[in-house]
Amino acid sequence: QKEVEQNSGPLSVPEGAIASLNCTYSDRGSQSFFWYRQYSGKSPELIMSIYSNGDKEDGRFTAQLNKASQYVSLLIRDSQPSDSATYLCAVNGGGNNRLAFGKGNQVVVIP
Amino acid sequence: GAVVSQHPSWVICKSGTSVKIECRSLDFQATTMFWYRQFPKQSLMLMATSNEGSKATYEQGVEKDKFLINHASLTLSTLTVTSAHPEDSSFYICSAGARDRAYNEQFFGPGTRLTVL
């Protein structure tokens, strides 16, 4: 059974600072890694996908993947109040395209 | 691209009635659709996986006779909650995996909030 672990939150960061979120996974055969953002009362929204070791940047978001250490992280630069949400780490590696989700990290950006 | 819609966005029904929720991929063909349930302040719980033209695969503990899933085409899946009871009140969210995506991204619909009185 795939397991995805996210360190417990919530994470409070001042506006303009960097928010750093970490995620570890147990299935070494996992191939695809995703970060979803979920606002309270809304459904998850895909914000980052990463498949190769290293960094991937998209605007203020940077995802980092290290398959040897089995972790994936998300950095949010210049955090804004609108970034306040729960961030879900998801991992895919098996058949039927199922994703294994972490429990999520709540981020609170303080103006 | 990769837009998924759900209908209705919210529904209130009486105990014992059935409710159907539709999930559509609007601009892509969905090889696989997934149905999740989320209770307040809890994480997503996968209920079932459906592939177009075949029977859904249900997660352990999810009653297939209570939660009927039909995936009749590459753009439409439906979830019917039969004989709904107050404990079925939850946020139901579908997601779709695109047919031409190599890395199995899932795109979520906006969700359906079900309240059973």
Side-chain angles (χ1 to χ4, degrees), chain A residues 27-75:
Chain A
D27 185 357
R28 190 169 285 277
S30 298
Q31 299 290 323
S32 310
F33 308 86
F34 310 96
W35 284 98
Y36 287 85
R37 176 177 63 199
Q38 186 175 23
Y39 291 113
S40 180
K42 303 293 185 181
S43 65
E45 172 192 8
L46 179 63
I47 57 171
M48 288 290 283
S49 308
I50 187 166
Y51 321 110
S52 304
N53 280 327
D55 295 358
K56 179 182 177 182
E57 188 174 314
D58 184 358
R60 295 185 294 109
F61 298 103
T62 298
Q64 299 172 318
L65 174 61
N66 184 321
K67 289 186 178 181
S69 300
Q70 294 176 239
Y71 84 78
V72 57
S73 63
L74 179 71
L75 299 177

Side-chain angles (χ1 to χ4, degrees), chain B residues 28-61:
Chain B
F28 65 98
Q29 291 185 325
T31 314
T32 309
M33 287 185 170
F34 304 85
W35 287 95
Y36 295 84
R37 183 167 54 179
Q38 189 174 38
F39 293 105
K41 299 193 184 300
Q42 295 190 20
S43 55
L44 289 170
M45 187 192 83
L46 179 65
M47 298 175 67
T49 302
S50 73
N51 292 293
E52 183 260 341
S54 62
K55 289 184 179 179
T57 302
Y58 290 82
E59 295 299 302
Q60 192 173 6

Side-chain angles (χ1 to χ4, degrees), chain A residues 94-111:
Chain A
N96 211 21
N97 303 336
R98 291 175 61 186
L99 291 179
F101 282 90
K103 291 183 184 290
N105 274 126
Q106 185 182 5
V107 172
V108 178
V109 180
I110 303 168

Side-chain angles (χ1 to χ4, degrees), chain B residues 41-102:
Chain B
K41 299 193 184 300
Q42 295 190 20
S43 55
L44 289 170
M45 187 192 83
L46 179 65
M47 298 175 67
T49 302
S50 73
N51 292 293
E52 183 260 341
S54 62
K55 289 184 179 179
T57 302
Y58 290 82
E59 295 299 302
Q60 192 173 6
V62 178
E63 299 174 56
K64 64 179 181 181
D65 294 330
K66 180 170 182 63
F67 299 100
L68 302 179
I69 292 172
N70 183 276
H71 193 160
S73 75
L74 284 171
T75 59
L76 173 64
S77 176
T78 60
L79 167 69
T80 301
V81 183
T82 62
S83 187
H85 290 283
E87 58 265 29
D88 298 322
S89 298
S90 188
F91 191 39
Y92 291 85
I93 315 171
C94 72
S95 72
R99 190 176 200 175
D100 58 353
R101 298 271 182 170

Side-chain angles (χ1 to χ4, degrees), chain A residues 79-96:
Chain A
S79 295
Q80 302 296 308
S82 59
D83 296 326
S84 297
T86 296
Y87 290 81
L88 302 169
C89 173
V91 175
N92 175 274
N96 211 21

